[in-house]
Structure formats: C-alpha cells, structure tokens
C-alpha cells in the first residue's frame, strides 16, 4: 500500500545486535523518514523531512487496515488509460501507477 501511495519509495529495515530496529524510507521527491525502536520498547522515535511525511503515510495505511480489517487495494477497480497509466480506486481511495 505504501508503494501505491508513494510510488518510487524505498524502504530498508535493520535490527542491531542489541535488538534495536531501525527503518529508513526515502522518496525521489526528497522526502525521508527514519524510525527507531529500542529492543523491548513499544515507543518509536521518528525523524522525517522533505515535502511529504512518509511515516505519517504509513501510519494512515496501518490505521485504515486496523479500522476496516482490510486495505483499499483489495477489490479495487482498475482503469487503464490510453497512455498506459493504471488507476486503482475503491471507496474514496485511489492511486495512479
């Protein structure tokens, strides 16, 4: 879902020897986010910058999944334009690839 919402995003996750998890997200538009969760903790420290807040996009997707029990891409209607662009849409959500 994040790739559909922000095409071109790159993600990487690492777990350090002490169990601390760090996730990085970067987008070609200059947006970036780094989230760090120490081992055994439930609190994540997030730093982000650029024109979009990538971690916030991820959180919106996660909450939609929790609230609705599914993601909007399931059962989405697909439309392909003459130029080859494909738009997926369902219940007020859409993404063009």
């Amino acid at each position: 879902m994040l790739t559909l919402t922000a095409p071109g995003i790159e993600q990487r996750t690492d777990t350090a020897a002490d169990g601390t998890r760090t996730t990085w997200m970067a987008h070609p538009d200059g947006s970036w986010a780094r989230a760090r969760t120490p081992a055994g903790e439930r609190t994540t420290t997030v730093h982000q910058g650029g024109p979009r807040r990538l971690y916030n996009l991820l959180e919106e997707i996660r909450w939609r999944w929790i609230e609705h029990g599914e993601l909007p891409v399931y059962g989405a209607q697909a439309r392909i334009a003459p130029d080859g662009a494909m738009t997926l849409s369902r219940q007020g959500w859409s993404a063009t690839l």
Side-chain angles (χ1 to χ4, degrees), residues 4-74:
L4 292 173
T5 305
I9 194 169
E10 293 185 30
Q11 304 170 67
R12 186 173 306 139
T13 300
D14 181 59
T15 303
D18 69 356
T20 297
R21 288 182 49 105
T22 304
T23 300
W24 297 269
M25 294 181 273
H27 192 272
D29 70 3
S31 300
W32 61 272
R34 181 184 73 232
R36 184 175 177 272
T37 308
E41 297 289 325
R42 292 182 177 238
T43 302
T44 300
T45 301
V46 178
H47 299 275
Q48 34 188 352
R52 289 195 277 186
R53 298 297 179 243
L54 300 177
Y55 193 84
N56 294 18
L57 289 174
L58 181 61
E59 281 294 292
E60 288 172 18
I61 292 165
R62 187 176 76 88
W63 278 107
R64 182 175 180 126
W65 188 5
I66 289 169
E67 290 174 351
H68 298 282
E70 63 182 12
L71 297 173
V73 72
Y74 298 123

